[in-house]
Amino acid sequence: MQKEKPNIRTIDEAGLKDWLKVQGEKPFRAKQIREWLWKKHATTFDEMTSLSIDLRTRMKEHFRLPALQVSQLQKSRDNTIKVGFRLEDNLLVEGVLIPSAGRYTACISSQLGCALGCRFCATARLGLNRNLHFDEIFDQVALLEKICREHYQQEKLDNIVLMGMGEPLQNYENVIKAIELFTGKEGPGYSPSRITLSTVGIIKGIERLADDKVKFNLAISLHAATDEKRSEIIPVNRKNNLEALGRSLKYFHDKTGTRITLEYVLMDGFNDHPEDAAKLALFCKQFPCKINLIPYNPVEGAPYKTSDEIRTLRFKTLLEKRNLVVNIRQSRGADIEAACGQLASTHKKPGLRGKSGRPGTKTT
Ligand code: SF4
């Protein structure tokens, strides 16, 4: 069997220099190649016109250059764009471009499916297929940026949120490497302050982010402030309970100085009572944070409903009375199943159809 050529995008600068040396080429070519890959987002060797045709030919012989392809694109009534990206192994992953008040947010995925089984989540129903590689995470940003230019004549994205398919902290190395590429000099150079990683609350991962002193933002999909309710909708809470989560978030803030965002999807009669607001306020006392209240997208087969406006405003007022910063976020792209974690529709099988959503996503 013929051995597969290595993916050139997985080779660092030192590795490229070694290969170029063997080829009798100058080491500075390594920088040029990486610039083509990460700044100019070349998807073929032929695009790398600052390299000789001979070198490009040898690169083609030695390496492969996989890149995500836009396979499906849907635009919602509110101009949200959902994209199905085709991966090298022919599987599909989804990302969303959200225009809002003149700002453009890319919501990207970190895993193909998810293993965590949250009760309200479309992605959960897929199970985990595999982690995305860092170049596959990077490509979603590069392609959503291109779509932003083509559809909205906007050169750069305003925000990048890891809130799509998957739990980013269960794919730690690839996620961090992709973020380094978005923010590094070699890539498009986004400021870390424009990037938000959203987690359901994996404590070891949060502590690791703190120890790594990351500069990007952290959002927690909280959705309930008692262990009983939270474990009902987020099974991983049983091993990562609220007490431990609160401690890890305090640790994160102490190490990074970053204010944490708590995402809270309001479900009628489940987590929107005055006593829920009181418990949430108590949880928030442990570290500086802001709260995003998000309308729930009903899920077929799940017993939860969307809180009405009166209950939503009451909840917000109760939190504000306790001096907390609270925003009510609007779901975007619901008509194309791009809102609040409805990301699974390009994978739908008969019997799996549902308006399910991952609370806390696509709400910027
Ligand atoms: S909500 Fe997030 S962590 Fe939970 S199953 Fe869905 S993608 Fe996974």
Side-chain angles (χ1 to χ4, degrees):
M1 204 173 92
Q2 208 193 342
K3 208 171 144 230
E4 196 180 47
K5 293 181 210 171
N7 174 356
I8 192 164
R9 304 177 84 199
T10 62
I11 299 172
D12 62 13
E13 197 173 330
L16 282 175
K17 279 184 181 161
D18 289 347
W19 182 79
L20 287 161
K21 194 173 172 190
V22 174
Q23 301 295 314
E25 296 282 345
K26 294 269 187 302
F28 75 87
R29 297 278 178 217
K31 220 177 195 64
Q32 284 183 320
I33 294 170
R34 286 185 65 81
E35 203 173 287
W36 278 111
L37 294 175
W38 303 114
K39 203 179 265 295
K40 300 177 187 161
H41 198 232
T43 53
T44 64
F45 291 108
D46 291 329
E47 286 168 62
M48 302 182 183
T49 48
S50 60
L51 309 176
S52 69
I53 292 176
D54 176 50
L55 176 55
R56 282 183 260 159
T57 307
R58 277 178 285 147
M59 284 164 70
K60 267 185 239 176
E61 284 164 11
H62 282 85
F63 303 111
R64 64 185 214 282
L65 173 43
L68 256 60
Q69 307 292 329
V70 173
S71 166
Q72 300 172 13
L73 191 147
Q74 287 172 278
K75 202 174 200 173
S76 79
R77 284 193 288 272
D78 63 19
N79 287 329
T80 297
I81 294 178
K82 182 168 79 167
V83 184
F85 297 109
R86 187 149 313 273
L87 304 165
E88 194 184 14
D89 48 8
N90 220 20
L91 298 167
L92 274 179
V93 72
E94 294 176 2
V96 184
L97 177 66
I98 308 145
S100 178
R103 299 179 70 75
Y104 296 84
T105 299
C107 174
I108 59 169
S109 297
S110 55
Q111 296 183 303
L112 191 56
C114 185
L116 296 189
C118 298
R119 214 165 150 196
F120 44 74
C121 177
T123 307
R125 296 179 182 200
L126 302 173
L128 177 64
N129 190 312
R130 69 171 174 86
N131 280 339
L132 294 184
H133 204 265
F134 68 86
D135 54 326
E136 296 169 327
I137 300 170
F138 177 90
D139 278 1
Q140 295 173 62
V141 170
L143 289 171
L144 288 171
E145 194 184 83
K146 188 164 171 245
I147 290 167
C148 195
R149 272 197 296 277
E150 288 167 0
H151 287 254
Y152 300 114
Q153 294 72 53
Q154 180 80 12
E155 260 322 289
K156 296 288 259 187
L157 300 163
D158 292 291
N159 297 299
I160 299 165
V161 295
L162 284 126
M163 294 186 183
M165 299 169 85
E167 165 52 59
L169 295 183
Q170 296 222 314
N171 186 14
Y172 194 94
E173 280 84 7
N174 282 308
V175 163
I176 296 298
K177 200 153 183 191
I179 293 175
E180 280 167 7
L181 285 164
F182 311 148
T183 54
K185 282 199 203 110
E186 275 186 335
Y190 282 102
S191 160
S193 64
R194 295 188 178 278
I195 294 168
T196 301
L197 182 152
S198 176
T199 171
V200 85
I202 307 296
I203 286 158
K204 281 206 165 74
I206 294 169
E207 289 169 352
R208 196 168 165 194
L209 290 174
D211 291 336
D212 287 347
K213 295 200 173 55
V214 297
K215 296 208 164 39
F216 50 80
N217 302 301
L218 180 65
I220 306 297
S221 296
L222 195 72
H223 313 322
T226 67
D227 281 319
E228 194 193 346
K229 288 186 185 179
R230 197 162 192 265
S231 295
E232 178 182 322
I233 53 174
I234 302 172
V236 80
N237 185 71
R238 290 188 196 109
K239 285 191 183 150
N240 297 257
N241 67 24
L242 284 165
E243 196 192 329
L245 179 60
R247 265 201 311 274
S248 72
L249 293 177
K250 183 175 180 325
Y251 183 70
F252 178 85
H253 176 263
D254 290 348
K255 287 267 189 170
T256 64
T258 307
R259 184 170 70 158
I260 293 151
T261 302
L262 298 178
E263 295 159 344
Y264 195 98
V265 169
L266 284 167
M267 303 178 203
D268 181 55
F270 174 69
N271 64 355
D272 63 351
H273 299 285
E275 52 272 28
D276 293 307
K279 293 249 164 61
L280 176 57
L282 214 58
F283 184 77
C284 292
K285 282 236 153 65
Q286 303 173 82
F287 43 81
C289 64
K290 63 173 179 171
I291 303 162
N292 287 339
L293 298 178
I294 302 160
Y296 170 67
N297 287 312
V299 179
E300 239 174 54
Y304 312 109
K305 283 191 283 182
T306 316
S307 301
D308 64 21
E309 208 181 323
I310 293 171
R311 289 178 80 95
T312 302
L313 288 174
R314 180 183 68 178
F315 201 85
K316 180 175 188 265
T317 308
L318 287 169
L319 293 171
E320 284 174 339
K321 276 191 182 152
R322 290 169 166 94
N323 297 320
L324 292 162
V325 180
V326 192
N327 297 303
I328 297 177
R329 292 299 178 104
Q330 301 307 319
S331 272
R332 305 293 307 271
D335 55 313
I336 55 166
E337 297 191 320
C340 279
Q342 295 173 312
L343 297 189
S345 58
T346 53
H347 299 261
K348 270 186 182 143
K349 301 174 194 144
L352 205 107
R353 199 177 159 76
K355 289 184 285 168
S356 53
R358 171 191 173 192
T361 61
K362 270 66 69 205
T363 50
T364 46

